[in-house]
């Protein structure tokens, strides 16, 4: 019986990893390494890129906001299937048009589905007291990013920018099939328990919850500039252009391995300390290529950035899941919504700073924002059951508490 349950749990984890690889690594961040190819092959402008990126951020925000609603949790299986199928279709549809408005619509819908799929897959996979699996689950984002970094150049050599989108759709369809086969089974049990638990309790927001929301929203602002435009920026530097794709692969691999590493660090230092360390290291990773523009610093910066941005997500959602076990989907939805809002604000401010000052200003702005987030976390109380620092990592009985 135990072996069968463990087998189902591992199957669910694999499905969650595949779902996040599709939703985030490919559908969301796959656009990043394709940007230079679309500029080369069809001459899209920086304005068109910015509009598509902004549409994706807006769609992500809308999807994250909707995912907070309890009614979505009662139809998890239907949403899961629709999101997996449609995400692949949207990838495949990109090369079938060169119309700016249709591209913008496709990226908007892609962002919308990415957010909901992220929340649904996270809730199903980390449900039933499995919040300590976050370190494994969120490696899926890094795996998806690494996939795009490795295969985009290969698809490009076959048929340019059109083949890259079709190739990503093909890879995404394989991930989607695995995700559906595994997560659809687990989601059946979650719907039943969700209705039973939520009928007895209410979602309560206290000062600690708002601190977590604020710091995570600031992370959304701070990281998005690098995450979206890193390949384009590196390719624009003659001395670094030859390592642009390698830096993206490095970011993805670093993100994939970092989530487990940060979970281990959190067990020894506590989530609060781990989060503060991750924010600090990410700030260093962003500023390093700016102050030392050479190949080593670019790769080191990429490794630090990739090694922290999903670690921060993993640690924050683990913290939220244990603070709000009866409302895990709503908690993850709220966090994802403020994160998405930060991703909308970040590029707008960055564009203004670059235009008004210089190309270095956005990176400096991102570093300042991350430091503010780090300082905000200092106000988070420790040794409190269900929130804070060591209490989160060490109260195993609370960690195993049943929740959808």
């Amino acid at each position: 019986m135990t072996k069968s349950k463990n087998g189902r749990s591992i199957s669910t984890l694999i499905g969650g990893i595949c779902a996040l690889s599709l939703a985030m690594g490919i559908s969301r961040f796959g656009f990043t390494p394709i940007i230079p190819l679309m500029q080369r092959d069809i001459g899209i402008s920086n304005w068109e890129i910015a509009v598509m990126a902004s549409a994706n951020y807006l769609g992500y925000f809308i999807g994250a906001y909707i995912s907070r609603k309890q009614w979505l949790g009662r139809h998890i299986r239907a949403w899961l299937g629709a999101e997996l199928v449609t995400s692949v279709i949207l990838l495949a549809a990109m090369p079938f048009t060169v119309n700016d408005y249709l591209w913008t619509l496709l990226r908007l819908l892609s962002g919308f589905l990415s957010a909901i799929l992220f929340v649904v897959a996270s809730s199903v996979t980390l449900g039933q007291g499995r919040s300590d699996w976050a370190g494994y689950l969120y490696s899926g984002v890094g795996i998806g990013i690494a996939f795009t970094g490795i295969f985009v150049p290969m698809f490009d050599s076959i048929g340019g920018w059109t083949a890259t989108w079709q190739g990503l759709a093909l890879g995404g369809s394989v991930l989607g099939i695995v995700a559906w086969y595994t997560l659809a089974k687990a989601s059946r049990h979650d719907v039943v328990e969700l209705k039973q638990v939520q009928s007895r309790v209410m979602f309560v927001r206290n000062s600690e919850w708002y601190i977590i929301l604020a710091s995570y929203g600031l992370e959304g602002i701070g990281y998005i500039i690098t995450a979206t435009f890193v390949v384009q920026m590196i390719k624009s530097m003659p001395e670094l252009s030859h390592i642009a794709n390698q830096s993206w692969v490095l970011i993805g691999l670093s993100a994939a391995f970092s989530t487990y590493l940060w979970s281990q660090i959190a067990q020894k230092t506590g989530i609060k300390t781990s989060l503060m360390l991750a924010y600090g290291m990410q700030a260093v990773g962003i500023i390093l290529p700016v102050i030392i523009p050479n190949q080593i610093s670019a790769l080191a910066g990429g490794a630090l950035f990739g090694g922290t941005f999903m670690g921060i997500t993993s640690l924050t959602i683990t913290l939220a899941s244990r603070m709000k076990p009866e409302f895990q989907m709503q908690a993850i939805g709220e966090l994802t919504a403020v994160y998405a809002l930060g991703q909308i604000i970040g590029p707008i401010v960055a564009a203004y700073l670059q235009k008004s000052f210089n190309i270095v200003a956005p990176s400096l702005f991102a570093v300042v924002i991350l430091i503010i987030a780090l300082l905000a976390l200092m106000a988070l109380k420790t040794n409190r059951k269900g929130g804070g620092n060591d209490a989160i990592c060490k109260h195993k009985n609370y960690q195993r508490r049943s929740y959808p």
Side-chain angles (χ1 to χ4, degrees):
M1 184 72 174
T2 303
K3 288 183 178 180
S4 176
K5 185 176 181 180
N6 289 339
R8 288 196 303 271
S9 297
I10 293 172
S11 174
T12 301
L13 177 60
I14 292 172
I17 290 172
C18 289
L20 294 190
S21 295
L22 170 58
M24 303 298 293
I26 296 179
S27 292
R28 187 125 201 270
F29 292 122
F31 182 51
T32 300
I34 297 178
I35 288 173
L37 308 184
M38 295 178 73
Q39 289 179 313
R40 180 200 66 198
D41 293 348
I42 52 179
I44 63 170
S45 66
N46 289 332
W47 171 252
E48 290 171 318
I49 293 168
V51 169
M52 283 189 279
S54 297
N56 191 257
Y57 304 147
L58 178 60
Y60 193 79
F61 173 72
I62 296 171
Y65 184 82
I66 289 177
S67 69
R68 299 165 52 252
K69 306 300 182 181
Q70 292 185 17
W71 55 263
L72 186 145
R74 300 188 182 99
H75 305 280
I76 292 179
R77 198 163 182 266
W79 276 100
L80 180 66
E83 290 152 8
L84 291 170
V85 173
T86 310
S87 293
V88 174
I89 292 174
L90 291 174
L91 286 169
M94 281 295 288
F96 285 97
T97 182
V98 290
N99 184 283
D100 294 347
Y101 297 108
L102 289 178
W103 274 341
T104 301
L105 177 62
L106 290 173
R107 295 308 294 161
L108 176 75
L109 293 174
S110 179
F112 174 80
L113 292 173
S114 292
I116 297 182
L117 185 52
F118 178 86
V119 174
V120 169
S122 296
S123 181
V124 173
T125 307
L126 300 180
Q128 309 297 321
R130 296 186 293 259
S131 59
D132 54 326
W133 280 14
Y136 300 100
L137 172 64
Y138 294 110
S139 66
V141 179
I143 292 171
I145 291 174
F147 175 88
T148 63
I150 293 169
F151 286 97
V152 162
M154 295 173 58
F155 296 142
D156 179 39
S157 66
I158 296 172
W161 75 279
T162 58
T164 58
W165 283 111
Q166 292 165 351
L168 292 185
L170 179 61
S173 64
V174 175
L175 294 169
I177 290 170
V178 176
W180 170 253
Y181 180 76
T182 53
L183 294 182
K185 296 178 181 178
S187 65
R188 290 196 189 101
H189 304 289
D190 288 354
V191 173
V192 174
E193 292 194 18
L194 181 68
K195 293 178 180 177
Q196 294 173 346
V197 174
Q198 290 189 343
S199 64
R200 301 192 302 268
V201 294
M202 292 181 61
F203 189 91
V204 178
R205 299 169 183 84
N206 55 19
S207 59
E208 291 191 14
W209 181 245
Y210 286 115
I211 289 171
I212 295 170
L213 284 177
S215 63
Y216 199 54
L218 291 171
E219 160 68 2
I221 296 174
Y223 106 97
I224 193 58
I225 300 166
T226 302
T228 302
F229 300 107
V230 60
V231 174
Q232 184 188 10
M233 288 189 293
I234 292 177
K235 281 201 171 185
S236 68
M237 303 177 185
E239 67 273 22
L240 299 177
S241 60
H242 62 288
I243 63 165
N245 285 323
Q246 293 93 318
S247 67
W248 186 244
V249 173
L250 181 61
I251 288 172
L253 292 176
S254 298
F257 290 108
S258 71
T259 52
Y260 174 76
L261 177 62
W262 283 110
S263 70
Q264 297 303 302
I265 294 173
Q267 288 183 11
K268 298 182 183 301
T269 66
I271 286 187
K272 175 182 173 180
T273 302
S274 300
L275 274 171
M276 292 174 66
L277 179 61
Y279 277 107
M281 290 178 63
Q282 185 175 115
V284 172
I286 291 173
I287 200 66
L288 191 60
V290 173
I291 59 177
I292 310 174
N294 60 40
Q295 182 171 325
I296 294 175
S297 65
L299 292 175
L304 284 172
F305 177 77
T308 52
F309 86 95
M310 282 313 303
I312 290 172
T313 293
S314 175
L315 292 172
T316 303
I317 290 181
T318 299
L319 178 60
S321 297
R322 295 173 188 175
M323 287 179 69
K324 309 291 183 183
E326 298 90 354
F327 288 91
Q328 190 173 23
M329 179 174 287
Q330 187 173 349
I332 295 173
E334 286 198 6
L335 286 169
T336 306
V338 298
Y339 195 68
L341 181 60
Q343 292 174 348
I344 294 173
I345 296 171
I348 296 172
V349 178
Y352 170 77
L353 291 173
Q354 183 174 335
K355 182 180 179 180
S356 302
F357 298 96
N358 54 47
I359 196 170
V360 175
S363 295
L364 296 176
F365 166 72
V367 170
V368 170
I369 288 295
L370 291 171
I371 292 173
I372 294 173
L374 188 156
L375 294 175
L377 284 171
M378 294 178 67
L380 194 65
K381 295 179 181 179
T382 61
N383 298 321
R384 179 177 175 181
K385 186 177 181 181
N389 188 359
D390 294 336
I392 297 298
C393 291
K394 295 176 181 177
H395 281 289
K396 298 296 184 181
N397 59 327
Y398 188 68
Q399 181 178 328
R400 290 192 296 268
R401 189 173 173 183
S402 180
Y403 155 73

